[in-house]
Amino acid sequence: MFADSAKIIIKSGNGGNGHISFRREKYVPNGGPDGGDGGKGGDLIFQVDEGLNTLTDFRHKRKYAAQNGEEGGKRNCHGKNGEDMIVKVPAGTIIREAETDKVIADMSGDNTRQIILKGGKGGLGNQHYATSTMQAPKYAQPGQPGIELEVRLELKVIADVGLVGFPNVGKSTLLSRVTNARPKIANYHFTTLNPNLGVVDLEGTGGFVIADIPGLIEGASEGIGLGHSFLKHIERTKVMIHMVDAASVEGRDPIADIYAINKELEAYNPELMKKPQVIAANKIDAIYNEDESALPALKAEFEPKGIQVYPISAVSGQGLKELLYHVNELLSGLDDAPVVYEQEYFPEASLFKDEAYTVEYNEEDDVYVVEGPKIEKMLGYTNIDSEKGFLFFQKFLREQGILEDLEKAGITEGDTVRMYGLEFDYYK
């Protein structure tokens, strides 16, 4: 069974707690604090494995957790960091937050390894809290918690060309003839349930990957039948081959079929209609009377719109060479980069929902100070120096209402904002 979606629970490791202890040696009667820091929790990492092509493994194991960091020890001993958990997935896997369905990561193209959930930081030992007035602090910082999240994995077929058409028009036969794929073929009046992939090798070219997208039905864009699970596979393809029955063996109107499928594609995602299309008018070997052929009507309807019509026979191989070289020509004029979905959901945000913060103006330093557990925790989880981290930082300030509160406090462009050890100038 081709598995193209799965729900799993992922968790990064908790940071280890800081330790409380004091130096106790024979000739050092007033030894100071020597509690060590806790270890960092392990990260939850997704990594592409080229040997995988389905999500079947995730049907048997549903929870993936990184190791917790260990508590710090006496004599300034640092707790051991937790081991990372690496989850291997096929190329083309999209990771979505289960509740909102927003994209966390798209494991496609150059993105072959990504930290999805960062482990919690280890807490500081009591040695860090000694001051001139408090020389024996009995406090150590607890480790930060890891993040637990339910995610939906979705595998989208990565193919250059998508083969679409109503059931029983000959898509599986075409795929088996022009590629190394071996789909099950028979005179079914229902549809193939799984996308079949094959590589087309053309003399004098680099070839391309073609996917037989399972047969669409009207209402697919509304989720009727298996509509959404079929349509999602077309999003990554660059060129679409519409396959129709030019002989109308089953009495279907091929022109109406093409418009019906395009209507479903547009309803699902209007961007799909910008992809180049070509029509494969199949079963010409079954046309015995030219007056009954749909070819002239197909050409008259679509070629003025820039969509070429190629008469073919998937059974005999007639016309396939011309069709495939035309598809290859269309591909050569397109961008080679795969379609990659941008991150919409930042898991770290789930940690800060109920935490408080304050916004105050410090006249002496002429800065606006933002502090509180929410801010401290956010800065602990976020690498502001990275592009993704800075993007999350900006989004966090906006969505948590911090920017709005700064404006209420009277901030203007160019004023300085301080958040613990971080200072930056405010600009809209």
Side-chain angles (χ1 to χ4, degrees):
M1 174 67 181
F2 178 92
D4 63 358
S5 67
K7 263 189 184 179
I8 61 170
I9 294 168
I10 55 176
K11 185 183 183 302
S12 57
N14 299 328
N17 295 331
H19 191 70
I20 302 172
S21 63
F22 299 91
R23 188 177 172 195
R24 293 286 181 265
E25 291 182 34
K26 190 172 183 181
Y27 299 109
V28 187
N30 297 314
D34 67 353
D37 302 343
K40 175 186 171 297
D43 296 333
L44 194 292
I45 300 168
F46 273 74
Q47 182 173 307
V48 169
D49 184 337
E50 297 296 344
L52 297 176
N53 51 26
T54 78
L55 297 172
T56 304
D57 292 349
F58 298 100
R59 300 278 172 91
H60 310 299
K61 183 181 176 183
R62 287 210 67 232
K63 185 157 186 178
Y64 296 80
Q67 197 176 44
N68 294 333
E70 291 184 359
E71 184 178 342
K74 57 180 65 176
R75 297 183 182 176
N76 301 330
C77 286
H78 194 289
K80 186 180 176 184
N81 293 339
E83 287 187 16
D84 298 335
M85 166 61 75
I86 297 175
V87 182
K88 295 185 177 180
V89 293
T93 301
I94 294 177
I95 304 155
R96 296 179 182 271
E97 198 274 325
E99 188 177 341
T100 63
D101 212 38
K102 289 183 176 179
V103 175
I104 299 172
D106 185 350
M107 308 305 293
S108 305
D110 295 332
N111 190 29
T112 57
R113 180 183 170 94
Q114 184 172 332
I115 298 173
I116 302 300
L117 303 179
K118 287 185 179 177
K121 280 191 173 181
L124 299 175
N126 69 333
Q127 59 172 309
H128 294 278
Y129 297 97
T131 65
S132 57
T133 55
M134 172 67 72
Q135 296 184 1
K138 294 181 180 178
Y139 169 79
Q141 188 182 36
Q144 288 184 335
I147 308 170
E148 183 169 308
L149 207 59
E150 185 175 33
V151 297
R152 185 167 66 83
L153 306 182
E154 179 183 285
L155 178 60
K156 293 199 178 186
V157 171
I158 299 180
D160 302 303
V161 179
L163 189 57
V164 297
F166 275 82
N168 209 32
V169 294
K171 300 197 306 299
S172 297
T173 304
L174 174 67
L175 193 75
S176 68
R177 184 160 193 104
V178 302
T179 76
N180 55 358
R182 292 289 174 265
K184 292 179 182 177
I185 301 166
N187 186 27
Y188 296 130
H189 285 263
F190 51 89
T191 181
T192 309
L193 291 182
N194 305 315
N196 290 302
L197 263 71
V199 178
V200 176
D201 291 316
L202 286 177
E203 194 176 337
T205 74
F208 52 84
V209 180
I210 186 170
D212 162 19
I213 306 297
L216 299 174
I217 59 173
E218 290 179 78
S221 60
E222 297 165 14
I224 293 175
L226 296 176
H228 279 163
S229 59
F230 291 167
L231 284 161
K232 71 185 179 187
H233 293 295
I234 302 173
E235 288 186 282
R236 287 192 193 268
T237 61
K238 296 169 185 168
V239 173
M240 280 186 285
I241 299 177
H242 274 281
M243 197 157 183
V244 292
D245 176 2
S248 298
V249 172
E250 298 185 2
R252 299 192 65 90
D253 177 355
I255 294 175
D257 283 357
I258 291 170
Y259 279 124
I261 286 177
N262 274 343
K263 181 182 174 185
E264 296 303 324
L265 297 177
E266 187 171 22
Y268 179 71
N269 182 352
E271 291 295 310
L272 294 176
M273 298 311 296
K274 296 178 182 177
K275 296 179 186 286
Q277 298 187 8
V278 59
I279 294 169
N282 192 28
K283 304 189 182 180
I284 58 169
D285 55 305
I287 298 173
Y288 304 110
N289 185 342
E290 290 298 321
D291 295 336
E292 295 174 4
S293 171
L295 279 173
L298 280 166
K299 285 177 177 285
E301 182 70 25
F302 294 104
E303 289 196 342
K305 297 176 181 177
I307 302 174
Q308 293 297 307
V309 178
Y310 283 84
I312 66 162
S313 168
V315 172
S316 71
Q318 184 181 347
L320 293 185
K321 189 174 179 182
E322 292 81 2
L323 170 68
L324 296 176
Y325 273 100
H326 174 68
V327 169
N328 193 73
E329 192 180 329
L330 289 175
L331 285 169
S332 66
L334 299 174
D335 185 3
D336 281 343
V339 176
V340 179
Y341 294 86
E342 292 296 321
Q343 185 169 6
E344 302 170 324
Y345 183 91
F346 295 84
E348 294 91 342
S350 63
L351 291 170
F352 316 127
K353 286 179 181 174
D354 305 317
E355 302 279 3
Y357 67 90
T358 58
V359 176
E360 294 176 352
Y361 175 62
N362 183 320
E363 285 189 35
E364 188 177 335
D365 296 337
D366 190 25
V367 295
Y368 288 82
V369 181
V370 184
E371 289 182 338
K374 176 184 288 200
I375 309 301
E376 190 174 15
K377 196 182 281 186
M378 181 272 295
L379 291 173
Y381 275 94
T382 309
N383 178 12
I384 307 294
D385 294 331
S386 75
E387 187 179 345
K388 279 190 176 177
F390 188 68
L391 183 68
F392 169 69
F393 176 64
Q394 288 179 310
K395 189 171 182 175
F396 171 84
L397 295 181
R398 185 174 62 253
E399 291 187 349
Q400 300 294 320
I402 295 169
L403 293 182
E404 190 179 337
D405 288 344
L406 282 166
E407 286 174 7
K408 286 179 183 174
I411 199 168
T412 57
E413 289 204 3
D415 287 348
T416 302
V417 179
R418 180 188 295 158
M419 295 182 181
Y420 293 93
L422 178 71
E423 284 195 0
F424 60 93
D425 293 333
Y426 174 80
Y427 289 100
K428 277 194 174 183

